[in-house]
Amino acid sequence: MGLILHEIIASPPVRAVKLCLTELGLEAEYKTCNLLAREQFSDEYLKLNPQHTVPTLEDGDLIVWDSHAINAYLVSAYGKNDALYPKDPKVRALVDQRLHFDSGVLFSALRNIGLKIFFKNEKEIPEEDKLRAREALDFAEKFLQGRKFITGDTYNIADFSIYTTASALVALVPGLEKYPNLAKYFDLCKSSFKGISHDEEGLQAFKGLVQQKLSGK
Ligand SMILES: N[C@@H](CCC(=O)N[C@@H](CS)C(=O)NCC(=O)O)C(=O)O
């Protein structure tokens, strides 16, 4: 039985998992869970993932959600080597720190705004939410100082998470100041990731939704 990914194209964590799947040369069956139609609250989906989030991965009898956990699993189970999730404890410590930073700080800032715009139909982003987004991006900007990718000279699953979240956050929050390290990083990710063309479709879909929601159309 093959991999099944429950997803919606515009979701940054879904994009992170798809980048990883492509990098590993893995195929998956994609099942769309339309969040705007609240399909994540269907009995069927809640049985699979009571936390009602996408992405959720099924691999035989394993059901796992959270993009960071999914990507760590995919590399451990299917990677030909550990490049995308290094086993060396000191290198992994840095990758894990960045993954937790994405979960707890960067994506958290994005989700906080996303919930208001996409599900509560708010048209303005509160100043305090913008400040939280700026603080999170400031941290990412600092992590990139003197580094090509988020932990060093090569990319790994932490880059799939940080790139997808940060690119969405910058698209969501208007009027952010320029982040020179992040701008260079975005270009480098775009020219490095194997799955970037599909990823770009996801980012454009996200941008389209943001425009639609903020303009009230
Ligand atoms: N930490 C989770 C976050 C997943 C998440 O919040 N996904 C959003 C879409 S981007 C979602 O499913 N929202 C629907 C909901 O929470 O009901 C991950 O990395 O997978």
Side-chain angles (χ1 to χ4, degrees):
M1 207 153 69
L3 299 169
I4 301 173
L5 187 71
H6 299 265
E7 54 106 31
I8 188 161
I9 180 173
S11 152
V14 165
R15 287 168 52 211
V17 171
K18 287 182 168 176
L19 281 171
C20 190
L21 284 168
T22 307
E23 208 73 38
L24 293 170
L26 295 172
E27 302 274 337
E29 180 189 343
Y30 294 135
K31 290 195 176 169
T32 301
C33 174
N34 185 345
L35 302 181
L36 294 178
R38 300 179 71 78
E39 286 177 6
Q40 73 273 36
F41 297 111
S42 69
D43 289 347
E44 198 189 343
Y45 199 77
L46 286 173
K47 250 185 243 156
L48 205 62
N49 172 355
Q51 211 181 321
H52 53 80
T53 52
V54 290
T56 298
L57 179 80
E58 290 185 70
D59 187 7
D61 60 357
L62 174 75
I63 299 166
V64 63
W65 58 92
D66 188 283
S67 56
H68 313 84
I70 293 172
N71 281 351
Y73 167 72
L74 288 173
V75 179
S76 306
Y78 296 105
K80 290 192 178 72
N81 56 52
D82 69 347
L84 290 174
Y85 193 39
K87 288 188 180 129
D88 178 291
K90 290 190 175 165
V91 185
R92 179 165 289 198
L94 208 58
V95 177
D96 285 340
Q97 184 274 318
R98 302 305 199 235
L99 291 172
H100 288 289
F101 165 75
D102 183 62
S103 255
V105 180
L106 194 63
F107 182 77
S108 173
L110 175 69
R111 185 178 156 94
N112 178 45
I113 301 173
L115 284 176
K116 292 177 184 164
I117 304 296
F118 295 127
F119 297 106
K120 295 189 180 158
N121 292 320
E122 293 184 16
K123 301 278 174 284
E124 295 285 332
I125 301 172
E127 273 314 308
E128 67 198 77
D129 293 350
K130 286 189 187 166
L131 188 68
R132 195 169 147 193
R134 280 199 186 97
E135 273 173 1
L137 289 166
D138 282 345
F139 286 131
E141 179 75 4
K142 285 185 187 137
F143 299 163
L144 287 166
Q145 192 60 44
R147 291 190 177 89
K148 283 188 184 168
F149 290 101
I150 204 69
T151 60
D153 281 345
T154 54
Y155 62 89
N156 54 55
I157 57 172
D159 292 284
F160 299 152
S161 294
I162 304 273
Y163 170 72
T164 51
T165 307
S167 55
L169 195 51
V170 166
L172 182 58
V173 183
L176 285 170
E177 58 272 20
K178 297 276 173 273
Y179 291 98
N181 293 339
L182 271 167
K184 250 198 285 173
Y185 175 66
F186 287 173
D187 286 344
L188 188 59
C189 290
K190 283 185 193 166
S191 61
S192 305
F193 297 163
K194 291 186 182 141
I196 200 65
S197 59
H198 272 94
D199 182 70
E200 198 54 31
E201 280 175 37
L203 179 57
Q204 292 311 323
F206 179 85
K207 286 182 179 171
L209 276 178
V210 171
Q211 262 179 359
Q212 190 188 322
K213 284 287 178 182
L214 288 180
S215 67
K217 285 178 195 149

mmCIF file with all atom_site columns, all heavy atoms in Angstrom, residues 1-4 27 29 58-62 78:
data_model
loop_
_atom_site.group_PDB
_atom_site.id
_atom_site.type_symbol
_atom_site.label_atom_id
_atom_site.label_alt_id
_atom_site.label_comp_id
_atom_site.label_asym_id
_atom_site.label_entity_id
_atom_site.label_seq_id
_atom_site.pdbx_PDB_ins_code
_atom_site.Cartn_x
_atom_site.Cartn_y
_atom_site.Cartn_z
_atom_site.occupancy
_atom_site.B_iso_or_equiv
_atom_site.pdbx_formal_charge
_atom_site.auth_seq_id
_atom_site.auth_comp_id
_atom_site.auth_asym_id
_atom_site.auth_atom_id
_atom_site.pdbx_PDB_model_num
ATOM 1  N N   . MET A 1 1  ? 0.847  -1.203 0.000  1.00 0.00 ? 1  MET A N   1
ATOM 2  C CA  . MET A 1 1  ? 0.000  0.000  0.000  1.00 0.00 ? 1  MET A CA  1
ATOM 3  C C   . MET A 1 1  ? 0.881  1.251  0.000  1.00 0.00 ? 1  MET A C   1
ATOM 4  O O   . MET A 1 1  ? 1.873  1.300  0.716  1.00 0.00 ? 1  MET A O   1
ATOM 5  C CB  . MET A 1 1  ? -0.891 -0.007 1.244  1.00 0.00 ? 1  MET A CB  1
ATOM 6  C CG  . MET A 1 1  ? -2.164 0.756  1.023  1.00 0.00 ? 1  MET A CG  1
ATOM 7  S SD  . MET A 1 1  ? -3.506 0.164  2.075  1.00 0.00 ? 1  MET A SD  1
ATOM 8  C CE  . MET A 1 1  ? -2.993 0.665  3.680  1.00 0.00 ? 1  MET A CE  1
ATOM 9  N N   . GLY A 1 2  ? 0.499  2.228  -0.820 1.00 0.00 ? 2  GLY A N   1
ATOM 10 C CA  . GLY A 1 2  ? 1.349  3.417  -0.956 1.00 0.00 ? 2  GLY A CA  1
ATOM 11 C C   . GLY A 1 2  ? 1.048  4.499  0.073  1.00 0.00 ? 2  GLY A C   1
ATOM 12 O O   . GLY A 1 2  ? 0.171  4.343  0.931  1.00 0.00 ? 2  GLY A O   1
ATOM 13 N N   . LEU A 1 3  ? 1.770  5.588  -0.071 1.00 0.00 ? 3  LEU A N   1
ATOM 14 C CA  . LEU A 1 3  ? 1.570  6.736  0.825  1.00 0.00 ? 3  LEU A CA  1
ATOM 15 C C   . LEU A 1 3  ? 0.321  7.504  0.407  1.00 0.00 ? 3  LEU A C   1
ATOM 16 O O   . LEU A 1 3  ? 0.064  7.671  -0.787 1.00 0.00 ? 3  LEU A O   1
ATOM 17 C CB  . LEU A 1 3  ? 2.772  7.680  0.730  1.00 0.00 ? 3  LEU A CB  1
ATOM 18 C CG  . LEU A 1 3  ? 4.147  7.134  1.111  1.00 0.00 ? 3  LEU A CG  1
ATOM 19 C CD1 . LEU A 1 3  ? 5.243  8.106  0.691  1.00 0.00 ? 3  LEU A CD1 1
ATOM 20 C CD2 . LEU A 1 3  ? 4.201  6.891  2.626  1.00 0.00 ? 3  LEU A CD2 1
ATOM 21 N N   . ILE A 1 4  ? -0.417 7.982  1.397  1.00 0.00 ? 4  ILE A N   1
ATOM 22 C CA  . ILE A 1 4  ? -1.569 8.856  1.127  1.00 0.00 ? 4  ILE A CA  1
ATOM 23 C C   . ILE A 1 4  ? -1.344 10.151 1.898  1.00 0.00 ? 4  ILE A C   1
ATOM 24 O O   . ILE A 1 4  ? -1.061 10.121 3.106  1.00 0.00 ? 4  ILE A O   1
ATOM 25 C CB  . ILE A 1 4  ? -2.895 8.213  1.600  1.00 0.00 ? 4  ILE A CB  1
ATOM 26 C CG1 . ILE A 1 4  ? -3.126 6.878  0.897  1.00 0.00 ? 4  ILE A CG1 1
ATOM 27 C CG2 . ILE A 1 4  ? -4.076 9.166  1.371  1.00 0.00 ? 4  ILE A CG2 1
ATOM 28 C CD1 . ILE A 1 4  ? -4.326 6.092  1.432  1.00 0.00 ? 4  ILE A CD1 1
ATOM 29 N N   . GLU A 1 27 ? 6.338  8.902  -4.483 1.00 0.00 ? 27 GLU A N   1
ATOM 30 C CA  . GLU A 1 27 ? 4.999  9.205  -5.004 1.00 0.00 ? 27 GLU A CA  1
ATOM 31 C C   . GLU A 1 27 ? 4.014  9.083  -3.853 1.00 0.00 ? 27 GLU A C   1
ATOM 32 O O   . GLU A 1 27 ? 4.222  8.272  -2.948 1.00 0.00 ? 27 GLU A O   1
ATOM 33 C CB  . GLU A 1 27 ? 4.581  8.152  -6.051 1.00 0.00 ? 27 GLU A CB  1
ATOM 34 C CG  . GLU A 1 27 ? 5.512  8.025  -7.235 1.00 0.00 ? 27 GLU A CG  1
ATOM 35 C CD  . GLU A 1 27 ? 5.169  9.018  -8.310 1.00 0.00 ? 27 GLU A CD  1
ATOM 36 O OE1 . GLU A 1 27 ? 3.994  9.455  -8.329 1.00 0.00 ? 27 GLU A OE1 1
ATOM 37 O OE2 . GLU A 1 27 ? 6.053  9.366  -9.121 1.00 0.00 ? 27 GLU A OE2 1
ATOM 38 N N   . GLU A 1 29 ? -0.479 9.335  -3.032 1.00 0.00 ? 29 GLU A N   1
ATOM 39 C CA  . GLU A 1 29 ? -1.833 9.668  -3.496 1.00 0.00 ? 29 GLU A CA  1
ATOM 40 C C   . GLU A 1 29 ? -2.281 10.890 -2.703 1.00 0.00 ? 29 GLU A C   1
ATOM 41 O O   . GLU A 1 29 ? -2.191 10.887 -1.467 1.00 0.00 ? 29 GLU A O   1
ATOM 42 C CB  . GLU A 1 29 ? -2.767 8.476  -3.215 1.00 0.00 ? 29 GLU A CB  1
ATOM 43 C CG  . GLU A 1 29 ? -4.182 8.721  -3.647 1.00 0.00 ? 29 GLU A CG  1
ATOM 44 C CD  . GLU A 1 29 ? -5.143 7.621  -3.170 1.00 0.00 ? 29 GLU A CD  1
ATOM 45 O OE1 . GLU A 1 29 ? -4.656 6.525  -2.784 1.00 0.00 ? 29 GLU A OE1 1
ATOM 46 O OE2 . GLU A 1 29 ? -6.352 7.870  -3.174 1.00 0.00 ? 29 GLU A OE2 1
ATOM 47 N N   . GLU A 1 58 ? -0.810 8.979  5.631  1.00 0.00 ? 58 GLU A N   1
ATOM 48 C CA  . GLU A 1 58 ? -1.070 7.572  5.939  1.00 0.00 ? 58 GLU A CA  1
ATOM 49 C C   . GLU A 1 58 ? -0.012 6.744  5.224  1.00 0.00 ? 58 GLU A C   1
ATOM 50 O O   . GLU A 1 58 ? 0.222  6.922  4.028  1.00 0.00 ? 58 GLU A O   1
ATOM 51 C CB  . GLU A 1 58 ? -2.445 7.147  5.403  1.00 0.00 ? 58 GLU A CB  1
ATOM 52 C CG  . GLU A 1 58 ? -3.609 7.756  6.142  1.00 0.00 ? 58 GLU A CG  1
ATOM 53 C CD  . GLU A 1 58 ? -4.927 7.187  5.625  1.00 0.00 ? 58 GLU A CD  1
ATOM 54 O OE1 . GLU A 1 58 ? -5.212 5.994  5.869  1.00 0.00 ? 58 GLU A OE1 1
ATOM 55 O OE2 . GLU A 1 58 ? -5.651 7.939  4.941  1.00 0.00 ? 58 GLU A OE2 1
ATOM 56 N N   . ASP A 1 59 ? 0.612  5.858  5.979  1.00 0.00 ? 59 ASP A N   1
ATOM 57 C CA  . ASP A 1 59 ? 1.571  4.919  5.394  1.00 0.00 ? 59 ASP A CA  1
ATOM 58 C C   . ASP A 1 59 ? 1.245  3.551  5.978  1.00 0.00 ? 59 ASP A C   1
ATOM 59 O O   . ASP A 1 59 ? 1.716  3.203  7.065  1.00 0.00 ? 59 ASP A O   1
ATOM 60 C CB  . ASP A 1 59 ? 3.010  5.342  5.715  1.00 0.00 ? 59 ASP A CB  1
ATOM 61 C CG  . ASP A 1 59 ? 4.025  4.467  4.979  1.00 0.00 ? 59 ASP A CG  1
ATOM 62 O OD1 . ASP A 1 59 ? 3.601  3.653  4.136  1.00 0.00 ? 59 ASP A OD1 1
ATOM 63 O OD2 . ASP A 1 59 ? 5.236  4.596  5.253  1.00 0.00 ? 59 ASP A OD2 1
ATOM 64 N N   . GLY A 1 60 ? 0.402  2.796  5.285  1.00 0.00 ? 60 GLY A N   1
ATOM 65 C CA  . GLY A 1 60 ? -0.066 1.524  5.828  1.00 0.00 ? 60 GLY A CA  1
ATOM 66 C C   . GLY A 1 60 ? -0.861 1.792  7.099  1.00 0.00 ? 60 GLY A C   1
ATOM 67 O O   . GLY A 1 60 ? -1.795 2.589  7.102  1.00 0.00 ? 60 GLY A O   1
ATOM 68 N N   . ASP A 1 61 ? -0.424 1.152  8.207  1.00 0.00 ? 61 ASP A N   1
ATOM 69 C CA  . ASP A 1 61 ? -1.175 1.338  9.459  1.00 0.00 ? 61 ASP A CA  1
ATOM 70 C C   . ASP A 1 61 ? -0.721 2.576  10.236 1.00 0.00 ? 61 ASP A C   1
ATOM 71 O O   . ASP A 1 61 ? -1.255 2.874  11.300 1.00 0.00 ? 61 ASP A O   1
ATOM 72 C CB  . ASP A 1 61 ? -1.084 0.082  10.335 1.00 0.00 ? 61 ASP A CB  1
ATOM 73 C CG  . ASP A 1 61 ? 0.355  -0.241 10.707 1.00 0.00 ? 61 ASP A CG  1
ATOM 74 O OD1 . ASP A 1 61 ? 1.275  0.468  10.241 1.00 0.00 ? 61 ASP A OD1 1
ATOM 75 O OD2 . ASP A 1 61 ? 0.565  -1.198 11.474 1.00 0.00 ? 61 ASP A OD2 1
ATOM 76 N N   . LEU A 1 62 ? 0.260  3.287  9.716  1.00 0.00 ? 62 LEU A N   1
ATOM 77 C CA  . LEU A 1 62 ? 0.724  4.516  10.394 1.00 0.00 ? 62 LEU A CA  1
ATOM 78 C C   . LEU A 1 62 ? -0.092 5.720  9.910  1.00 0.00 ? 62 LEU A C   1
ATOM 79 O O   . LEU A 1 62 ? -0.244 5.944  8.718  1.00 0.00 ? 62 LEU A O   1
ATOM 80 C CB  . LEU A 1 62 ? 2.201  4.771  10.092 1.00 0.00 ? 62 LEU A CB  1
ATOM 81 C CG  . LEU A 1 62 ? 2.750  6.094  10.633 1.00 0.00 ? 62 LEU A CG  1
ATOM 82 C CD1 . LEU A 1 62 ? 2.964  6.030  12.152 1.00 0.00 ? 62 LEU A CD1 1
ATOM 83 C CD2 . LEU A 1 62 ? 4.052  6.496  9.950  1.00 0.00 ? 62 LEU A CD2 1
ATOM 84 N N   . TYR A 1 78 ? 12.527 6.425  4.366  1.00 0.00 ? 78 TYR A N   1
ATOM 85 C CA  . TYR A 1 78 ? 12.732 6.242  2.925  1.00 0.00 ? 78 TYR A CA  1
ATOM 86 C C   . TYR A 1 78 ? 13.987 6.906  2.349  1.00 0.00 ? 78 TYR A C   1
ATOM 87 O O   . TYR A 1 78 ? 14.302 6.680  1.185  1.00 0.00 ? 78 TYR A O   1
ATOM 88 C CB  . TYR A 1 78 ? 11.507 6.770  2.149  1.00 0.00 ? 78 TYR A CB  1
ATOM 89 C CG  . TYR A 1 78 ? 10.241 6.006  2.448  1.00 0.00 ? 78 TYR A CG  1
ATOM 90 C CD1 . TYR A 1 78 ? 9.244  6.561  3.268  1.00 0.00 ? 78 TYR A CD1 1
ATOM 91 C CD2 . TYR A 1 78 ? 10.042 4.733  1.941  1.00 0.00 ? 78 TYR A CD2 1
ATOM 92 C CE1 . TYR A 1 78 ? 8.075  5.856  3.553  1.00 0.00 ? 78 TYR A CE1 1
ATOM 93 C CE2 . TYR A 1 78 ? 8.885  4.018  2.215  1.00 0.00 ? 78 TYR A CE2 1
ATOM 94 C CZ  . TYR A 1 78 ? 7.901  4.590  3.020  1.00 0.00 ? 78 TYR A CZ  1
ATOM 95 O OH  . TYR A 1 78 ? 6.776  3.890  3.288  1.00 0.00 ? 78 TYR A OH  1
#
